[in-house]
Amino acid sequence: MDKLIIEGGACLNGEVRISGAKNSALPILAATLLADEPVTICNLPHLHDITTMLELIRRTGVELTIDEKLSVEVDTSTIKNFHAPYELVKTMRASILVLGPLLAHYGEAEVSLPGGCAIGSRPVDLHIRGLEAMGAEITVDAGYIHARSNGRLKGAKIFFDIVTVTGTENILMAAALAEGQSIIENAAREPEIVDLANCLIAMGADIKGAGTDTITVNGVESLKGCRYSVMPDRIETGTYLVAAAATRGYVKTKNTRADILDSVLLKLTEAGAKIETGDDWISLDMEGRRPKSVNITTAPYPAFPTDMQAQFAALNAVAEGVGHIKETIFENRFMHMQEMIRLGANILIDGNSATIEGGEHLKGAPVMATDLRASASLVIAGLVASGETTIDRIYHIDRGYECIEEKLQMMGAKIRRIPG
Ligand code: UD1
């Protein structure tokens, strides 16, 4: 297993180009299964999760053409089966996103049930209930979700009693090809939902209200081909901004968007960072100052994202003062805290709350990545810690961060990968 070795202490200074958003690219690739004509998706990030989604699509018999810039053309005309196997689904929960499109387009889908994962139980009951409300017959047997539809799915009113991102996306994709009108209430408002809706609209779907908590979809009989470019990754952007803040440095993130990062930029400003924004860039300058601790409560968009919680825990670990972090989306999403304690962080955990007393110094040590965003927080902590930090199990990082060590090296970090 590859490891990352970080020699801490360097102050980050430089520019970084932000990749396409993983959490947008995954539903958008799944949505290509809805079209009758070839769809080309651009600005895909080079990530393991994207490879997994492409493999999932390829296994159905669909033809993929990938060009040198990793734009992918998906042509569904050769589809042979509607099966998403356990061996792929178990490596990526977002595989569940093929359920809605396969069922809506082909009247049939067999998708392995995603298992438990490191950040909590994460059920998919709301996806299933939503599709059932649209007339699907769904059984769960031998670890697989078997879904059938007698003719087209029927438009329905779907109310989510918990705000779910991929749940909203699955129902939105299914509703695009259903007969009649669907109204999705208490829908997730994440920018990635808007990106997916824009791609579906480019394919000919009739969708209103994406980005609000009520989405109205008038189903169409078929969807056509299009060319669509995935939006920038707001979590990758936020991660590099926090890394620069923790190291008291400067970064300019390019090819990104400030309007989708309000809650994160607010907290960075509270931490003492000087933030400037332009059309497609955000810069952060600590002017050499030590960051100040901030309090954070995670909640669905537009509130503070759970996917940025771990990075801010690392920031608080070296900041001035005491910061409180409350995680309200996922149970068990504090595993990075134990690893940070190994680096000398002063953290008290009480259920889903953590109190972090910032210390002037962390000390390098061997640590283990437990999930995607937890790994990013350990990289940030390692950049600040004195001496050497070795991060094991970094395959988690490769699921969500494109060329993380190269991007950090360009900004002056001493970080290298040891193949294992
Ligand atoms: C997505 C993101 C992930 C992010 C999360 C929350 C993708 C590919 N992943 O994950 O990076 O951390 O949103 O912003 O976009 N729930 C149920 N039943 C369901 C579905 C969800 O109880 O059927 C619960 C979950 O356990 C969780 C909450 O709803 O407590 C929100 O989860 P959800 O928004 O569905 O997360 P994902 O879509 O899996």
Side-chain angles (χ1 to χ4, degrees):
M1 262 182 274
D2 289 7
K3 291 185 174 75
L4 281 179
I5 303 206
I6 306 173
E7 190 67 46
C11 172
L12 293 191
N13 191 328
E15 298 190 340
V16 61
R17 189 193 155 276
I18 299 304
S19 304
K22 170 180 87 75
N23 285 356
S24 223
L26 293 173
I28 285 174
L29 284 172
T32 62
L33 292 169
L34 290 163
D36 288 336
E37 296 169 1
V39 178
T40 302
I41 307 299
C42 320
N43 199 31
L44 289 170
H46 298 61
L47 297 172
H48 277 187
D49 275 9
I50 300 300
T51 316
T52 305
M53 182 55 87
L54 292 174
E55 178 61 13
L56 211 54
I57 293 173
R58 201 186 57 80
R59 294 273 189 104
T60 63
V62 163
E63 224 159 81
L64 300 175
T65 315
I66 304 181
D67 74 16
E68 70 290 350
K69 287 191 176 156
L70 204 77
S71 292
V72 175
E73 184 191 86
V74 183
D75 181 354
T76 57
S77 60
T78 54
I79 197 158
K80 288 186 192 66
N81 70 75
F82 315 107
H83 182 77
Y86 175 65
E87 67 194 87
L88 290 174
V89 178
K90 73 174 184 199
T91 67
M92 184 183 72
R93 296 182 45 80
S95 308
I96 191 74
L97 286 165
V98 300
L99 178 63
L102 286 175
L103 179 64
H105 195 176
Y106 303 101
E108 182 176 349
E110 213 174 59
V111 179
S112 169
L113 207 53
C117 81
I119 58 172
S121 60
R122 296 181 84 172
V124 290
D125 54 317
L126 299 174
H127 302 233
I128 293 176
R129 263 189 262 156
L131 293 170
E132 281 175 341
M134 299 173 82
E137 280 170 31
I138 301 188
T139 52
V140 177
D141 184 38
Y144 276 82
I145 302 167
H146 302 267
R148 298 268 175 288
S149 165
N150 196 1
R152 283 171 74 190
L153 289 171
K154 308 275 177 294
K157 190 166 175 171
I158 314 277
F159 177 84
F160 282 117
D161 59 2
I162 300 174
V163 178
T164 159
V165 177
T166 48
T168 301
E169 290 164 349
N170 239 334
I171 300 306
L172 177 62
M173 292 187 281
L177 275 188
E179 203 179 321
Q181 187 175 73
S182 297
I183 299 177
I184 310 173
E185 289 188 341
N186 202 24
R189 291 180 282 166
E190 267 66 5
E192 292 77 13
I193 305 266
V194 178
D195 209 28
L196 169 64
N198 286 340
C199 177
L200 290 167
I201 290 166
M203 288 159 67
D206 179 352
I207 299 170
K208 304 238 159 27
T212 75
D213 61 6
T214 305
I215 306 178
T216 306
V217 187
N218 290 307
V220 293
E221 261 180 56
S222 66
L223 290 168
K224 58 183 172 40
C226 75
R227 188 177 177 87
Y228 192 81
S229 185
V230 171
M231 66 182 272
D233 197 311
R234 64 193 165 101
I235 305 300
E236 190 197 22
T237 308
T239 301
Y240 287 115
L241 293 173
V242 174
T247 62
R248 308 183 186 188
Y250 166 87
V251 67
K252 182 172 183 182
T253 55
K254 292 162 59 172
N255 289 66
T256 188
R257 274 172 54 187
D259 63 312
I260 49 177
L261 274 143
D262 283 345
S263 60
V264 170
L265 297 183
L266 180 76
K267 288 294 161 187
L268 286 166
T269 306
E270 256 181 67
K274 194 173 137 214
I275 305 275
E276 285 180 10
T277 62
D279 271 359
D280 64 350
W281 58 268
I282 306 170
S283 71
L284 174 145
D285 197 348
M286 288 306 285
E287 293 167 340
R289 289 186 301 270
R290 182 179 174 196
K292 292 192 273 275
S293 290
V294 288
N295 296 332
I296 275 160
T297 301
T298 66
Y301 190 86
F304 190 89
T306 174
D307 287 352
M308 284 300 302
Q309 177 257 106
Q311 299 86 322
F312 271 78
L315 182 76
N316 276 347
V318 293
E320 197 184 315
V322 176
H324 300 279
I325 294 192
K326 190 166 177 198
E327 172 59 56
T328 75
I329 306 285
F330 293 117
E331 55 189 91
N332 204 14
R333 206 179 194 183
F334 275 168
M335 282 184 303
H336 49 284
M337 304 277 189
Q338 300 300 342
E339 299 300 300
M340 281 184 209
I341 290 170
R342 292 176 45 73
L343 298 172
N346 191 348
I347 304 177
L348 208 72
I349 297 174
D350 179 14
N352 65 349
S353 296
T355 303
I356 306 178
E357 189 178 340
E360 188 99 31
H361 301 290
L362 295 178
K363 193 156 178 252
V367 289
M368 199 144 73
T370 49
D371 70 62
L372 171 53
R373 306 305 168 186
S375 348
S377 73
L378 295 177
V379 171
I380 295 171
L383 289 171
V384 188
S386 59
E388 191 174 279
T389 297
T390 308
I391 309 179
D392 205 347
R393 301 204 180 162
I394 57 156
Y395 54 84
H396 290 294
I397 300 193
D398 296 332
R399 288 188 42 215
Y401 290 91
E402 181 176 283
C403 307
I404 189 164
E405 67 270 32
E406 284 90 344
K407 288 188 180 186
L408 285 169
Q409 278 161 7
M410 302 278 283
M411 294 189 276
K414 295 198 178 103
I415 178 169
R416 66 200 152 94
R417 180 182 292 252
I418 305 283

